[in-house]
């Protein structure tokens, strides 16, 4: 039974990590850049990534083998599907094809709601096929100009953490929670800051920095009965997040204390 469970877990893990082709969508930004349009009717999608080679073979090359260096890179996207001329996306393609307009494209995974690739492209092929016994279809080739940006590997700063505070005698204990969005890179550091609640925003204390595997910190030597403000910041390889929402707490002496 244990072996069957292990096999099931392995298969499930593989299936969960696999990407279904039907989930990958080609989208286009409209002319004003305020709307992302999924290309209507799309079925097949191929992202081509190629590189030129520069031959550097010489007469004394070892063993008679040709030798090459990498040259310029290029990319293109081939897409086909059912033709829906009335859709805004195909109207945009027609205009771009006729006017040689550049299109800003994005390839997304609709299942995981994540971006995969993006770049500028020109429409270099846009045939329409109308067989007598089937639906009218289109195929399109978008040839990239400049880089195809791998949006999945683009690292940004993380979202801000959240913070809670618990008052004690002359101290306040802080606990942070890491953000769900880490910017595509593990959070490695966390910083805590404090100030008197009545002080201005330019009077935050120097940050206390520690590794992100320790998300708690206690500010001590505080004045009981005085309100303090606290915030935290997390860091990944791209830099610091925005500060957390400020939380306030007032240290209090224990009942019956001096």
């Amino acid at each position: 039974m244990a072996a069957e469970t292990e096999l099931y877990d392995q298969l499930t893990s593989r299936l969960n990590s696999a990407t279904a082709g039907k989930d990958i969508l080609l989208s286009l930004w409209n002319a004003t850049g305020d709307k992302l349009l999924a290309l209507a009717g799309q079925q097949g999608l191929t992202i081509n990534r190629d590189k030129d080679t520069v031959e550097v073979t010489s007469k004394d090359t070892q063993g008679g083998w040709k030798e090459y260096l990498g040259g310029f890179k290029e990319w293109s996207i081939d897409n086909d599907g059912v033709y829906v001329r009335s859709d805004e996306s195909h109207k945009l393609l027609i205009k771009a094809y006729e006017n040689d307009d550049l299109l800003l494209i994005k390839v997304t995974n609709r299942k995981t709601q994540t971006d995969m690739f993006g770049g500028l492209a020109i429409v270099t092929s846009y045939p329409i096929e109308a067989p007598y016994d089937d639906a009218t279809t289109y195929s399109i080739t978008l040839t990239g100009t400049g880089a195809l940006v791998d949006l999945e590997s683009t690292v940004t700063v993380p979202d801000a953490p959240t913070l809670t505070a618990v008052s004690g005698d002359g101290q306040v204990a802080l606990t942070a929670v890491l953000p769900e969005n880490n910017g595509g890179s593990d959070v490695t550091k966390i910083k805590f800051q404090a100030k008197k609640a009545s002080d201005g925003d330019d009077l935050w204390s120097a940050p206390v920095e520690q590794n992100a595997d320790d998300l708690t910190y206690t500010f001590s030597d505080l004045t009981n009965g005085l309100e303090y403000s606290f915030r935290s910041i997390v860091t990944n390889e791209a830099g610091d997040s925005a500060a957390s929402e400020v939380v306030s707490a007032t240290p209090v002496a224990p009942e019956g204390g001096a």
Side-chain angles (χ1 to χ4, degrees):
M1 191 65 180
E4 292 176 354
T5 301
E6 182 179 354
L7 177 60
Y8 175 81
D9 290 342
Q10 290 176 353
L11 291 174
T12 302
S13 177
R14 291 175 186 172
L15 288 173
N16 288 339
S17 62
T19 303
K22 65 181 179 60
D23 294 327
I24 308 307
L25 294 179
L26 172 63
S27 299
L28 318 168
W29 288 100
N30 66 356
T32 55
D34 58 3
K35 186 189 298 184
L36 188 62
L37 308 170
L39 187 56
Q42 61 185 285
Q43 294 176 333
L45 176 67
T46 303
I47 301 173
N48 306 296
R49 293 182 286 186
D50 302 291
K51 180 186 290 186
D52 294 337
T53 56
V54 179
E55 185 178 350
V56 292
T57 310
S58 61
K59 292 181 178 180
D60 59 352
T61 297
Q62 190 71 24
W65 295 98
K66 287 187 175 181
E67 296 178 342
Y68 295 92
L69 295 176
F72 289 107
K73 298 182 288 290
E74 61 181 339
W75 64 273
S76 63
I77 292 178
D78 297 322
N79 180 252
D80 60 71
V82 178
Y83 185 50
V84 189
R85 180 185 173 89
S86 61
D87 190 83
E88 186 178 355
S89 60
H90 281 276
K91 291 179 180 179
L92 181 62
L93 283 175
I94 292 170
K95 182 176 180 296
Y97 176 73
E98 292 176 346
N99 298 335
D100 294 332
D101 295 335
L102 290 176
L103 290 173
L104 180 58
I105 66 96
K106 182 185 284 188
V107 178
T108 59
N109 185 328
R110 67 177 177 179
K111 181 178 179 180
T112 60
Q113 298 295 304
T114 55
D115 300 330
M116 298 178 67
F117 299 99
L120 284 172
I122 188 170
V123 182
T124 52
S125 180
Y126 189 22
I128 307 298
E129 185 175 349
Y132 78 93
D133 59 349
D134 205 348
T136 301
T137 60
Y138 74 92
S139 58
I140 186 169
T141 298
L142 299 169
T143 300
T145 174
L148 177 66
V149 180
D150 186 343
L151 299 174
E152 288 185 303
S153 66
T154 301
V155 176
T156 60
V157 297
D159 288 347
T162 56
L163 191 64
T164 58
V166 177
S167 298
D169 184 11
Q171 64 182 28
V172 172
L174 303 177
T175 301
V177 176
L178 295 180
E180 291 187 8
N181 176 22
N182 64 6
S185 174
D186 289 341
V187 171
T188 57
K189 298 289 184 181
I190 185 165
K191 303 172 185 176
F192 297 96
Q193 290 180 287
K195 72 180 184 70
K196 295 177 182 178
S198 59
D199 288 342
D201 282 343
D202 58 340
L203 293 177
W204 285 100
S205 65
V208 177
E209 182 176 301
Q210 54 195 40
N211 292 331
D213 55 1
D214 183 3
L215 299 176
T216 62
Y217 184 77
T218 298
F219 281 96
S220 56
D221 296 326
L222 304 180
T223 302
N224 287 335
L226 183 65
E227 185 180 19
Y228 292 84
S229 297
F230 305 92
R231 69 182 185 182
S232 62
I233 296 168
V234 291
T235 306
N236 68 4
E237 65 177 279
D240 289 345
S241 71
S244 67
E245 290 189 10
V246 174
V247 297
S248 299
T250 303
V252 292
E255 292 184 8

